[in-house]
Structures are given as C-alpha cells and as structure tokens.
Amino acid sequence: MSVFIPKEITLLRIAFLSFSVVVSALSRQSVPTQGDIMVSHASPEYGAAGDEFVVLFNATDGSIDLNGFEVKYITAGGTTGSAGRIFSATTIIVSRSHLLLATRDTVRVGSVEVLRDVSMTTGMAATGGQLVVRETASPTNILFALAWGSVTVYAAGMTDAAAWSGDGMLTLTANETTYVRASYNGPNSDYTHIAAAAITEIPSSATAPLPVQMVEFSAASIPQGVLLRWRTATEADNAGWEIERRNVGMMESWTKIGFVEGAGTSTSPREYSFVDATPSATRFAPSAQRIAYRLKQVDRSGAFSYSGEIEVELGLAPEAFSLGDPYPNPFNPETTIEFSLAVPGHATMKVFDVLGREMATLFEGEAESGRAYRRSFNASRLSTGIYIVRLESAGLTAKHKIVYIR
C-alpha cells in the first residue's frame, strides 16, 4: 500500500503556481469520478529522450484511491502507447494534494530537483499526443484528458476537443515540452507552455500548501455606499472573507458586516467585491467621516488571518458639477447614477443609444447645489448594448458610457 501525505517543504514559485492542502490522513477515501483527478503538469520530454513526468492533483475534499485506474499515453494517431502507469494496488492521494509520476527516480529540470512519488513507463512523444486518466477495466470511462500537438484520432471515449465534456481536454501547440495547468477551477484553456530551463517548481506529494495571496485591496465611495474590491493571485483551501468595519477616531471595535465566499483552491487571479450600504444614508454629513475596513480570510479548517486596513472618507456635500460613475457597470438590468451641481438650476439627465436616440429621462427639473441626486436606470426592455448617460445644466455637459448585458 502506498500512501502519499504532504510534508512541509520550501516551496519554489513560478508564474503559474501549484499547490496542495494538508488534511488529516486518509479521511473519506473514495473512488474518483470525472473531474475529481486533474493533470496539473505534464512533460513528454523535459530533457533527453525518455525524460517524462506527469503530476496528478486530487481536486476533491476527500482522499482518493487510484486502484483500478491508469494514466495512459495515446499517440496523436489514436494508438495506445506504452507510456503511463496502471494502479493495481491501493494508492491514496490526500485531498487537494499532488502525485508525481516520472520515468526517472529524480526529476532534474530547470532549477528543480525533486524525487518522484511513483514510477511510470516512458514513450510519450514531444511533438504530439494525448494523456488520459481512465478506468483500467473500462477505458472509455475517462476522468481527465489533455492533448498537445496535432491530434488526428482521439482516444476512445472522446471525439474531439469540442465534444469532450471533461474539464481537462485541451489541444496544445507543442512549442515547448512542459505544460502547466494555471487554474484548478478555471476553463480548459488554463494551461501554458513553460520552457524546461525556466521550470522552478514541480509539485509532488511533499509539496506544502500555498496561503491565500492577496495582491490588491481598495475602497471607494459610490452611490450605494462604499465599494470594496480585492484580488488574489492564489488561494488554497479558502472558505472566504469576513468583512469588518469601524469608524476611525471613535475608539470603536471592529464589526463584522458581511461575508464573501472564496474560490477554495485556485492558482489563477480571482476578483471579489462587496458593497457596504450602511454608510450611504450619512455619506453627506456635517463633517467628513472616515471609515476603516479590513478582511478576515478564513480557511476551511477554521484558521484565519487579517488583511491590512484601508480607509475611505465620506466627505461633505458635493460642491462641483459632477456625474458619478454608474454602478454597477456593466449591469443587468439596473444601474444607479448620481449627480450634483455647483450652482442651483435646471438640469436634465437622460440616456441615449449610440445612434443618439433618447431611451430614457432619469431627471428633468430644478436641482439644488451641494446636494447629491441619485437615479436608477432599468434597461430590461432594451437590447444588450452600449448606452450613454448625459447630464446637462447651465451650459455644462457630462457623459458616461454604460454597458447593458442581458
């Protein structure tokens, strides 16, 4: 019996990161189904002829036994090749972990030297072919597949890239010989070519988990309140974020105001947003008000960490002729636009299509200075497309483009 449990090591990083998540050993073993096992890395020839490796990834929350399944190379012409491995004994991949199959005891490529987990036979062609993870007794039961080069006959169980319903079927141009999957949750196109000399990391069962890596966190005042945006480069076992707020300078403790679900495990960039509507009612107070926000990132295990703090000022009443940014934009079917005037007078705010035809009047009448006017635009009866919001008053004009997507 072979059991592969991640151990903590120093993790090297490349542009497209890979990861595993340490969980309690051998909990909830199961037989894999389509999409449970993914090919995260594959190299038909990373050095000399016969230098080949494949990395499998358990994308589920439980341990998986590979007994009765196989990793098999199929030629570009559809013939079953010799390369791969048949799992004929219990072989466990722990939840969110990797398994490195290689033809050599040690994979030496680029700046990497890593011991393989299990052996595989050689025979993959660098110029083109297919790699399938399938049930040995029922070869058409394919769990995952990828292809590179020019494939003329696809393996039994799939006809071509368009017809393949699995998550991993992909045709690649073999301009390099190592293919790295950039996202475990994204589309089939999330592979990239990495030159062998540029490889700095190959995951195995010993690869340590990556933490959530946040690359941006911002706050901005909008008509609905305060808009928080943040972006991650990678996530590992991420349950989500608790959003916390406090008033600056008032000796307040942090208060949880919401929760945004995370992507779980991902190595592709992810974008998130949250609107705090509470401050909108007092955003034009007699004096400026500063509000601080932070994010509490929570793992599925219950562990957590905090982001840095950011502040936004809810200022005094507006004193300028201004047409605010519509939010949301693009929208479906409704967006909100805010405007203000520097001097009182007659004002109009209308929506036009790109041909200049008037679609709606959002405001027409006398408007006070120093006051924010907010109007909603519902486009449910219109066609998908680009529209223009135009504000006019006292000879001044302001415009914003909005995009309606049904």
Side-chain angles (χ1 to χ4, degrees), residues 218-261:
S218 64
S221 177
I222 61 170
Q224 290 84 357
V226 175
L227 171 64
L228 303 178
R229 295 179 186 270
W230 62 100
R231 184 163 57 91
T232 62
T234 62
E235 297 180 33
D237 207 30
N238 179 28
W241 288 269
E242 294 180 6
I243 294 88
E244 297 185 350
R245 181 191 68 208
R246 68 179 179 89
N247 288 324
V248 177
M250 298 182 65
M251 302 300 292
E252 285 188 352
S253 59
W254 289 96
T255 302
K256 177 183 174 181
I257 60 172
F259 180 82
V260 174
E261 186 175 352

Side-chain angles (χ1 to χ4, degrees), residues 8 21 30 64 67 103 135 145 156 167 172 174 382 406:
E8 187 173 350
V21 175
S30 61
I64 284 179
N67 187 16
T103 55
E135 188 176 3
D167 183 46
L172 298 170
L382 301 179
R406 304 191 69 163

Side-chain angles (χ1 to χ4, degrees), residues 14-201:
I14 56 177
F16 296 94
L17 300 169
S18 298
F19 48 84
S20 62
V21 175
V22 180
V23 297
S24 57
L26 308 186
S27 61
R28 202 164 63 92
Q29 297 178 20
S30 61
V31 176
T33 58
Q34 190 178 96
D36 289 350
I37 296 293
M38 298 180 176
V39 175
S40 65
H41 297 60
S43 180
E45 186 179 306
Y46 60 85
D51 291 340
E52 305 165 21
F53 70 82
V54 175
V55 181
L56 301 182
F57 176 72
N58 175 359
T60 73
D61 292 323
S63 297
I64 284 179
D65 186 359
L66 293 176
N67 187 16
F69 290 84
E70 63 184 11
V71 176
K72 202 65 180 173
Y73 169 73
I74 310 295
T75 69
T79 303
T80 300
S82 60
R85 180 185 175 90
I86 297 174
F87 296 96
S88 56
T90 298
T91 304
I92 303 297
I93 307 182
V94 177
S95 169
R96 310 291 174 179
S97 298
H98 296 84
L99 183 72
L100 172 59
L101 293 73
T103 55
R104 312 293 187 193
D105 291 336
T106 302
V107 177
R108 296 182 177 90
V109 55
S111 61
V112 173
E113 183 172 316
V114 58
L115 293 174
R116 71 184 180 190
D117 291 317
V118 295
S119 64
M120 61 174 284
T121 53
T122 187
M124 293 194 290
T127 55
Q130 308 162 75
L131 195 65
V132 296
V133 182
R134 66 187 185 184
E135 188 176 3
T136 303
S138 302
T140 58
N141 179 20
I142 299 175
L143 305 182
F144 198 85
L146 67 87
W148 61 94
S150 179
V151 176
T152 56
V153 179
Y154 286 88
M158 56 184 177
T159 54
D160 55 36
W164 168 242
S165 60
D167 183 46
M169 181 57 197
L170 173 69
T171 300
L172 298 170
T173 303
N175 61 332
E176 300 290 353
T177 56
T178 298
Y179 306 112
V180 179
R181 185 168 176 80
S183 170
Y184 293 87
N185 299 317
N188 299 343
S189 59
D190 284 339
Y191 284 81
T192 187
H193 305 287
I194 303 293
I199 291 292
T200 58
E201 186 261 350

Side-chain angles (χ1 to χ4, degrees), residues 204-216:
S204 69
S205 64
T207 301
L210 276 179
V212 173
Q213 182 185 13
M214 185 178 297
V215 295
E216 182 181 345

